[in-house]
Amino acid sequence: MDESLARWLVGPQGAEALAEASAWPDPSSLAAAQALRHRWTPEQAATASRQVELRRRAVTKFGERAGALFFTSDGLEQATRASVAAWRASRFAGAGGSRVVDLGCGIGADALAFADAGLEVVAVELDPATAVLAQANLGERGRVVTGDAVALAADLIKPGDAVFLDPARRT
């Protein structure tokens, strides 16, 4: 998905397409695709259908919250389970932190947990489209910066900040 398609997906038209795709028991079916293409471009219809499928799969990791989040296939696969992210966030908050810089946030699962724990969140994501989805997932509760975490870290990390980096998913 490119950045412009991600922006469409998280916007009002994307919300309409998601609602339409969600009404189908199998949003990847030919019938669903044909119906969605009456109103949306083939690329938009496919993106909405895929997002609905990802949201349905994401329930196992994110519970009911999955229906309001945005995913990529890789992002969902790599995302930290909500219960694990909440545990991590409680550890950061319990250590007295107030601001976390999440380097390499992906779709923002850990960043969202940090925000839920009451921490100020600045997240960094290299891929522009994924950064759009992460910002939509965080909403007003955090800020996502698009760029290389290594290049941006020195400017973003301030004295007293906690830094989160999940080495299992990073090169």
Side-chain angles (χ1 to χ4, degrees), residues 42-59:
E43 188 175 41
Q44 290 169 334
T47 298
S49 293
R50 182 69 180 137
Q51 193 61 217
V52 170
E53 291 173 333
L54 290 169
R55 284 178 169 184
R56 289 175 183 175
R57 282 191 10 220
V59 171

Side-chain angles (χ1 to χ4, degrees), residues 30-95:
L30 180 59
Q34 288 174 333
L36 289 168
R37 287 180 183 180
H38 283 286
R39 185 163 176 206
W40 314 106
T41 69
E43 188 175 41
Q44 290 169 334
T47 298
S49 293
R50 182 69 180 137
Q51 193 61 217
V52 170
E53 291 173 333
L54 290 169
R55 284 178 169 184
R56 289 175 183 175
R57 282 191 10 220
V59 171
T60 59
K61 277 191 178 182
F62 294 95
E64 290 303 313
R65 185 179 225 175
L69 297 176
F70 294 93
F71 301 97
T72 64
S73 295
D74 289 344
L76 176 56
E77 183 179 313
Q78 296 174 359
T80 304
R81 224 171 247 294
S83 58
V84 173
W87 174 79
R88 286 180 179 162
S90 71
R91 297 217 20 162
F92 275 75

